[in-house]
Every structure is written in structure tokens, then in C-alpha cells.
């Protein structure tokens, strides 16, 4: 490969990651002019520089040296491994503390694709076009889109949405929840034209985790609707964002889960009992009514586009402890009913592949990350006979020897 082609691929990767030449130069500790010369094929790039650059933009080093294609299209590469972009420096969250989990997420995606191909379940390519054409990512556009999506799904504007997990699943998004170590990481979204959308969310979200998870899922759902072209996005539910798509997804989630048209009537009913004062107990009640956390509801009420409470009251009420408020109002956060380790579709494909003899009992247990005994129990619960082929007999003998 000549320097001109390598430089072209470096420029494509930089532009896909929305990074300027200045940012790249600073990261590689070189002048901006050197980056320009590299991209034009007039300067050699050494292996160490290329390795550091590949990590910056979230690409495999193979992207820059694929001699077969001659001109690698980014979409083709990322279709095979969309998780790679999650390591890009342009992401909202630095996921290095969860590198092992993201690598595991990558392996899951590969396993999913392999099972889909074995079972002939690979559909026609998924569209990368957004479901809604938003001219500019503004709060007003997010509200419009949330209203449109509620109408498309047949959800009245006055109805709370407490099961975002179910909505994502019905819309073909595969959802799973794992324990994640990165403090600010709420979840991540990936998309490939061949397999569609996947969402990994954080299951260890502390107090009020069910309602916090509901908001994170609404946020990720927005990415599924309009950000598929980016292939992968990390989510920070704390509200500290660098990317406009993260702001937009947060605005969408707030409007989708907590429409002003629904909040005002419910708030009016609660205010009849407090002589017009919005208390922390009312905020907590509203949060439970709408399936969100106390903080999410408090910030929604204080949103300058609604201004149901002023910022001074917000500062005062945000000091309250949700657990104490729950005890005072005699209510509790719903339990996490859907907190699947893997998507139901993936689990079903594994058992179908086993039933058809495509994978062994040991492989079934490996793919589902369970023991052989647990795999046998689940096979029995699904009325799937244990295949006594050579592989299965060896596994059973191994069980006996290890007992």
C-alpha cells in the first residue's frame, strides 16, 4: 500500500470520529502540519504513531492495512465489529475501566452473528437512515420527536411509560444488562446494518435502579431512532456531555417519559393537598408515577422550558434523600423485572442451534455463560432432549470424572 492510500484512510477515520487535525496532532504529539502531510501521503507514519491513532479513532489497525479491498469502506469494517467505535476518543465516556466488559460485548456480538447465520436468521440489511429527520438537535426538536414517537407507538401523551425495556424489545432492539465499573457509564448502543441494534445497560445503578434504568433505556432508544450512522455511542446518565447527540437523547428521554402535558395534571392533583407548595414528597411521588428517578423528575420540573419550580427550589430539594422520601410517602421503587443477562432472542437462538445439532452442550453452556448443569436444567424446562452425540457423551463423562 502506498502512503497516499494510507493517508486517505487516516483522513477517513479522523473525519468519521469527528476529530480535527489539531486534536489528532495534540494526541500524537506532533505539529498539525505533520498530520496534514500524513493525510496527503507526503509524510511517512511510523507503527507507533499509527497504533496510537487507531486507538484514538476507535479503529482496528487492520482497517489501515487491508490489501484485499484496496479501498476499505468504513461502514463495511464497522458492520463486522461496531463495538470498536466505543473505544474512540470522541465518545462521551472513557470506558477504559470496562475494557474487558466491552471486549465481552464484542464477542457476544460475534456469537450472535454466527448463530444468526447458522440458523438462517440474517435479515435484509437494516436501514442506517434515521426514523426522524431532525434538522437541528434542539430541545424543541427533541420534544417534537418524542411526541411523534409516542403517537407512532400508540401511547397516549398522558400515559406514563414504566417499561422501556419492553418497548425496545418490541421495536427489535436487543437489550442486556451487565455490571459495569465505569462510574459515568450508563450504557452503550451499537448498530450494524447486518444485525441491527443492540443496547448494553448498567445493572448496578444503586438506589432507584429500576427507574434510573428506565431513563437510560429511553436515552438509548433515541440513539436507535436517529443515530445509527455512528455505529456506537456510550451513554453518560449523569448529564455531563461532550456530544450534541447525547444532549439530544437526554432531551428526548425527558420528553418521552415525562411529557409536560401529563405532568401538569398530576402535579395539580398533588398540590391540592399542600396549598400549592411543591415539596420533595410530591417530586418523589411524580417520579414513581412516571417511572423515573427522583433527580430526573426534579430536573424536569425545573427545566427552563417548563419552569414549574425555580432553580433555588431545585437546589434545595436536590439535597433530599430518595430513600427517606420513599419511607415518608409509604411507596417503593418497583423491582427490576426485566434485567436479562442476554437478549431473549440470543438465548432462543442458542437453544435452537443446540436442538438442531449445530452446537454441543458444552458450547451452549459457554455461549450462555452458564454451567453444564444449568444448561441441562434449561433444556429440560424447554422440553429439548439432551443430544447424546459424541460431544455430549464426552461432556457427560467429564462431569462424572469431575464429580
Amino acid at each position: 500500500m502506498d502512503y497516499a492510500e494510507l493517508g486517505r484512510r487516516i483522513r477517513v477515520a479522523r473525519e468519521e470520529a469527528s476529530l480535527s487535525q489539531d486534536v489528532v496532532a495534540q494526541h500524537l504529539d506532533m505539529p498539525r502540519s505533520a498530520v496534514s502531510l500524513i493525510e496527503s501521503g507526503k509524510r511517512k507514519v511510523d507503527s507507533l504513531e499509527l497504533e496510537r491513532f487507531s486507538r484514538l479513532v476507535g479503529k482496528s489497525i487492520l482497517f489501515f492495512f487491508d490489501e484485499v479491498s484496496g479501498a476499505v469502506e468504513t461502514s463495511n469494517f464497522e458492520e463486522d465489529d461496531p463495538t470498536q467505535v466505543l473505544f474512540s476518543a470522541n465518545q462521551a465516556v472513557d470506558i477504559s475501566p470496562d475494557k474487558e466488559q466491552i471486549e465481552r460485548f464484542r464477542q457476544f456480538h460475534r456469537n450472535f452473528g454466527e448463530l444468526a447465520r447458522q440458523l438462517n436468521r440474517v435479515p435484509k440489511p437494516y436501514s442506517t437512515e434515521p426514523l426522524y429527520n431532525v434538522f437541528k438537535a434542539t430541545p424543541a426538536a427533541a420534544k417534537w420527536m418524542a411526541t411523534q414517537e409516542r403517537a407512532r407507538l400508540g401511547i397516549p401523551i398522558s400515559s406514563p411509560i414504566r417499561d422501556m425495556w419492553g418497548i425496545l424489545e418490541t421495536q427489535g432492539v436487543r437489550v442486556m444488562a451487565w455490571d459495569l465499573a465505569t462510574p459515568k457509564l450508563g450504557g452503550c448502543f451499537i448498530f450494524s446494518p447486518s444485525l441491527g441494534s443492540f443496547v448494553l445497560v448498567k445493572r448496578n445503578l444503586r438506589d432507584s435502579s429500576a427507574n434510573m434504568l428506565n431513563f437510560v433505556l429511553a436515552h438509548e432508544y433515541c440513539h436507535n431512532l436517529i443515530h445509527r450512522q455512528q455505529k456506537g455511542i456510550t451513554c453518560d446518565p449523569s448529564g455531563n456531555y461532550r456530544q450534541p447527540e447525547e444532549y439530544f437523547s437526554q432531551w428526548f428521554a425527558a420528553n418521552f417519559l415525562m411529557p409536560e402535558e401529563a405532568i401538569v395534571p398530576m402535579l395539580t392533583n398533588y398540590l391540592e393537598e399542600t396549598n400549592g407548595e411543591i415539596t420533595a414528597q410530591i417530586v418523589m411521588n411524580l417520579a414513581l408515577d412516571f417511572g423515573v428517578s427522583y433527580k430526573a423528575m426534579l430536573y424536569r420540573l425545573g427545566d427552563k422550558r417548563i419552569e414549574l419550580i425555580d432553580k433555588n427550589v431545585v437546589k434545595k430539594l436536590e439535597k433530599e434523600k430518595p430513600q427517606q422520601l420513599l419511607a415518608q410517602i409509604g411507596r417503593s421503587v418497583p423491582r427490576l423485572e426485566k434485567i436479562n443477562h442476554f437478549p431473549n432472542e440470543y438465548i432462543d437462538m442458542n437453544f435452537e442451534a443446540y436442538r438442531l445439532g449445530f452446537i454441543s452442550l458444552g458450547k451452549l453452556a459457554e455461549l450462555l455463560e452458564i454451567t453444564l448443569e444449568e444448561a441441562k436444567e434449561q433444556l429440560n424446562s424447554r422440553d429439548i432432549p439432551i443430544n447424546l452425540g459424541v460431544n455430549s457423551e464426552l461432556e457427560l463423562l467429564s462431569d462424572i470424572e469431575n464429580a
Side-chain angles (χ1 to χ4, degrees), residues 68-231:
V68 176
S69 66
V72 176
E73 292 293 337
T74 303
S75 59
N76 291 337
F77 171 76
E78 291 181 349
E79 177 181 338
D80 292 332
D81 188 10
T83 59
Q84 184 70 27
V85 76
L86 298 176
F87 290 101
S88 168
N90 200 36
Q91 291 289 334
V93 185
D94 174 13
I95 60 173
S96 53
D98 277 304
K99 184 174 182 179
E100 290 185 5
Q101 289 289 62
I102 301 301
E103 292 289 350
R104 177 182 165 209
F105 190 27
R106 172 181 297 161
Q107 187 58 53
F108 154 79
H109 186 264
R110 290 172 180 164
N111 294 339
F112 189 102
E114 182 60 29
L115 286 167
R117 284 186 287 272
Q118 286 180 331
L119 298 171
N120 197 27
R121 291 194 184 185
V122 179
K124 294 180 180 179
Y126 287 84
S127 173
T128 59
E129 293 299 313
L131 186 60
Y132 296 96
N133 292 314
V134 176
F135 175 70
K136 190 175 182 180
T138 64
K143 179 178 181 179
W144 168 82
M145 194 175 106
T147 303
Q148 294 295 310
E149 184 61 10
R150 272 181 167 258
R152 188 182 75 86
L153 296 174
I155 304 174
I157 198 69
S158 59
S159 298
I161 302 174
R162 302 186 184 90
D163 183 18
M164 278 305 307
W165 193 301
I167 288 179
L168 266 71
E169 286 186 329
T170 61
Q171 297 305 301
V173 182
R174 291 77 169 213
V175 190
M176 66 204 81
W178 298 348
D179 287 346
L180 300 172
T182 305
K184 292 184 177 181
L185 180 62
C188 48
F189 164 83
I190 64 171
F191 172 82
S192 70
S194 61
L195 298 177
S197 298
F198 297 81
V199 166
L200 170 64
V201 291
K202 192 174 192 173
R203 61 180 295 158
N204 49 320
L205 284 170
R206 307 183 309 280
D207 298 336
S208 305
S209 56
N211 288 358
M212 291 178 69
L213 182 61
N214 210 40
F215 195 94
V216 171
L217 287 171
H219 179 113
E220 301 291 1
Y221 185 53
C222 180
H223 290 320
N224 173 66
L225 293 174
I226 65 171
H227 295 138
R228 294 181 177 187
Q229 300 94 331
Q230 297 185 237
K231 305 300 182 187

Side-chain angles (χ1 to χ4, degrees), residues 236-249:
D236 173 9
S238 69
N240 300 313
Y241 308 121
R242 293 187 300 167
Q243 306 303 325
E245 61 268 14
E246 286 296 284
Y247 281 111
F248 187 83
S249 294

